[in-house]
Each structure stands twice: as structure tokens, then as C-alpha cells.
């Protein structure tokens, strides 16, 4: 608690310490950390603690958090310069029309409109991603470029979490419900629910996953061969590492694509301002000639 940066985080750890001192179980202690840890993270940590493999479990949770943090940082860093360019262009592009006799109100409207639209789009995307609904999750899996990004993340979450639980000694029938809680996308969570019901009838995971179109083509053969070899946790660990690497590549592609999109918006805005300026100057010439 003393090394936490915020008072709320410190209080969460003090509350967890009080539960531990009172002899309460790990699940109750982790409940005090609800503001800091997601439901899936709490479930995975509890499973690792109960199986006596808390260290690798914590390492995996930290690795996942670092991965998401690095992804957000790369996207933000890639958007900084285009955002500055948009801000400068919004102020400078309509300036010639204002200096040639334009209205101050029109200038402010022309300058603030693109900035307001950009801020509104950013706020909308942030809201949709933080307050996700089943409809939004389905939409993310249908948008061509974003779908790859979402699939890689879901595959990484699924394979890494399930591998960790199986290696910790949790049976597959008990690991799937915990893995389901660790997934972000509700479409994948519903799919894991279906797998759990099939596995409970003594079917292997590869049979439960057969016919699904949510996963990359190589996932099902690896799971089937790993089950036959009795090393499903090791096969899932390899899949998790591969999916994580592909997720990082998708993040890099997204970080490279978004600035180009914003630059295109800036260029379009400047072109519109030039056209409006040319029309204004042409109108002035016509009025003088007449």
C-alpha cells in the first residue's frame, strides 16, 4: 500500500490486508482490489493461489497488463504529431479568408469545427471501448481492419489464460468458466460458455471448438494435437505467445494507420479552405469588375 501512487489504491490494499489478517480467503481479499483488478484478473490470481502457482500466475497477469499498456502508448504516441498538425491547420487554414475581409465569427466557427469533430470522435471511440456492449463487440469483429486487432487480442487472452489455469492444476471443466471471465469481448465469452457445456459431457476441447469461425486456422489443429499428446497447457502457451506477437504487430499497423487517416482529414480540411478562399477572391474580383 505505501508505494501506491493514489490514496484510493492504498486503501484497496489496506482493505485486502485487513481481510488477510482476519483469516479470510484469497477470493475475499481480492474482492477488495476490485477497483484495481478486472474480474478475469481476480479469478486467474485466485486460481493460481489456490493451486500453489501464484508466482507464474502473477507474472502472466503483469505481462498481459504491460502488453495492453504498450499498445495504448504506441497508439497515443503515433497520434500526437497529427493532432498537433490538425490543431495548427484548424487555426491557420481559415486565416487568409478572415484577413481578406471575412467575419470573425465565421473564422472561429471554421477553426473550432474540425477540432470539435475530432474531439467528439475521440470521445465516442473511448466511450464505446470502455463501456462495451454485445452489439459493439459484434461490430468490432466485422470491421475489416479492427476485426484483426480484436481477434488477436481475444486469442491471446484465451490461450494464455487457459494455459495458465491448466498448468496450475485446474481441470478443463473448471478452467473454461474462469477463462470466460478473463475475456474482454462478449462474443468470445458466449463461445466459451458453449465450449464449457460440451466439455462437461466428456468431450475434448478440440471437438467443442470444431466448426467455430472465431479463431485463426492454426489454433484448432494445435489444440487437437496437444490434447492427443497430453500437453494441452503447453500447446495453448505456444498459441498464446504467437497470438500476442500478432497482436503487437496489429497494434503497430493500427498505430501507423491512424496518423495517416488523420493527415488525410487535415489535407481535406485545408483543400476545402483553399477552395472557399478562391471562391471568395473570385467574388471580390467580379464585384470590382462590375
Amino acid at each position: 500500500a505505501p508505494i501506491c501512487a493514489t490514496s484510493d489504491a492504498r486503501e484497496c490494499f489496506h482493505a485486502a490486508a485487513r481481510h488477510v489478517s482476519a483469516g479470510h480467503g484469497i477470493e475475499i481479499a481480492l474482492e477488495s482490489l476490485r477497483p484495481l483488478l478486472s474480474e478475469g484478473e481476480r479469478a486467474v490470481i485466485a486460481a493460481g493461489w489456490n493451486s500453489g502457482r501464484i508466482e507464474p500466475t502473477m507474472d502472466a497477469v503483469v505481462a498481459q497488463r504491460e502488453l495492453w499498456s504498450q499498445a495504448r502508448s504506441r497508439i497515443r504516441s503515433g497520434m500526437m504529431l497529427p493532432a498537433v498538425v490538425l490543431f495548427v491547420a484548424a487555426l491557420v487554414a481559415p486565416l487568409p479568408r478572415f484577413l481578406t475581409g471575412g467575419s470573425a465569427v465565421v473564422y472561429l466557427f471554421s477553426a473550432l469545427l474540425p477540432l470539435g469533430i475530432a474531439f467528439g470522435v475521440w470521445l465516442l471511440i473511448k466511450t464505446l471501448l470502455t463501456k462495451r456492449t454485445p452489439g459493439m463487440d459484434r461490430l468490432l469483429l466485422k470491421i475489416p481492419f479492427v476485426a484483426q486487432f480484436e481477434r488477436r487480442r481475444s486469442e491471446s487472452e484465451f490461450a494464455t489464460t487457459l494455459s495458465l489455469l491448466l498448468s496450475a492444476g485446474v481441470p478443463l471443466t473448471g478452467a473454461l468458466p474462469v477463462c470466460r471471465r478473463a475475456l474482454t469481448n462478449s462474443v468470445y465469452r458466449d463461445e466459451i460458455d458453449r465450449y464449457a457445456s460440451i466439455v462437461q459431457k466428456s468431450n475434448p476441447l478440440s471437438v467443442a471448438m470444431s466448426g467455430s469461425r472465431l479463431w485463426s486456422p492454426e489454433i484448432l489443429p494445435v489444440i487437437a494435437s496437444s490434447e492427443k499428446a497430453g500437453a494441452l497447457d503447453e500447446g495453448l502457451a505456444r498459441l498464446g505467445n504467437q497470438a500476442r506477437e500478432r497482436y503487437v504487430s496489429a497494434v503497430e499497423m493500427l498505430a501507423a494507420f491512424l496518423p495517416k487517416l488523420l493527415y488525410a482529414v487535415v489535407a481535406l480540411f485545408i483543400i476545402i479552405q483553399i477552395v472557399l478562399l478562391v471562391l471568395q477572391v473570385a467574388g471580390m474580383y467580379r464585384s470590382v469588375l462590375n
Side-chain angles (χ1 to χ4, degrees):
I3 66 174
C4 292
T6 64
S7 59
D8 291 338
R10 287 194 293 271
E11 178 54 34
C12 289
F13 278 98
H14 281 307
R18 288 193 292 270
H19 284 299
V20 173
S21 299
H24 298 158
I26 185 65
E27 290 82 2
I28 297 178
L30 287 173
E31 192 66 22
S32 301
L33 303 179
R34 176 180 289 270
L36 309 177
L37 298 173
S38 67
E39 181 181 4
E41 289 172 333
R42 297 196 306 275
V44 170
I45 292 174
W49 178 272
N50 291 328
S51 62
R53 293 178 55 86
I54 186 59
E55 290 186 7
T57 302
M58 293 291 289
D59 290 340
V61 170
V62 171
Q64 286 290 95
R65 284 217 160 193
E66 289 178 345
L67 178 63
W68 310 150
S69 177
Q70 292 171 2
R72 291 191 295 268
S73 297
R74 290 180 182 180
I75 294 175
R76 283 197 299 265
S77 62
M79 294 296 291
M80 286 298 296
L81 182 58
V84 173
V85 172
L86 176 61
F87 178 78
V88 174
L91 297 179
V92 174
L95 191 59
R97 282 200 302 139
F98 172 67
L99 296 177
T100 55
S103 170
V105 175
V106 174
Y107 168 75
L108 290 176
F109 178 78
S110 300
L112 296 178
L113 179 61
L115 297 177
I117 293 175
F119 179 76
V121 171
W122 173 80
L123 191 62
L124 176 62
I125 294 175
K126 182 178 180 181
T127 302
L128 292 176
L129 293 179
T130 53
K131 299 179 180 179
R132 303 178 62 149
T133 63
M136 176 54 58
D137 289 335
R138 287 191 293 269
L139 178 62
L140 290 175
L141 292 172
K142 293 180 180 179
I143 302 175
F145 186 80
V146 179
Q148 181 182 4
F149 185 83
E150 189 72 7
R151 288 178 186 275
R152 297 308 183 195
R153 181 176 69 174
S154 298
E155 290 173 354
S156 174
E157 291 174 343
F158 168 75
T160 301
T161 304
L162 189 57
S163 168
L164 185 64
L165 293 170
L166 293 177
S167 63
V170 181
L172 183 60
T173 53
L176 285 174
V178 177
C179 180
R180 183 241 183 230
R181 295 165 57 187
L183 295 179
T184 304
N185 192 292
S186 61
V187 176
Y188 281 88
R189 289 200 299 268
D190 293 341
E191 191 75 358
I192 299 303
D193 282 337
R194 187 175 70 84
Y195 299 163
S197 62
I198 297 175
V199 169
Q200 286 178 352
K201 299 176 182 179
S202 301
N203 292 306
L205 179 61
S206 56
V207 172
M209 296 179 65
S210 62
S212 176
R213 298 181 179 180
L214 290 177
W215 311 99
S216 299
E218 70 275 7
I219 288 184
L220 185 57
V222 172
I223 289 178
S225 60
S226 299
E227 284 181 321
K228 291 180 181 179
L232 180 58
D233 56 337
E234 297 178 4
L236 287 168
R238 291 193 299 270
L239 289 174
N241 292 332
Q242 293 174 1
R244 187 180 297 108
E245 292 174 357
R246 293 178 178 178
Y247 174 78
V248 172
S249 299
V251 169
E252 293 175 349
M253 291 176 59
L254 182 63
F257 171 76
L258 288 179
K260 295 178 181 179
L261 179 62
L262 190 52
Y263 281 131
V265 173
V266 173
L268 179 62
F269 172 70
I270 294 175
I271 291 172
I272 292 174
Q273 295 298 325
I274 292 175
V275 171
L276 293 176
L277 178 61
V278 171
L279 293 176
Q280 182 179 356
V281 172
M284 293 174 59
Y285 272 115
R286 282 195 300 267
S287 62
V288 170
L289 294 176
N290 292 334

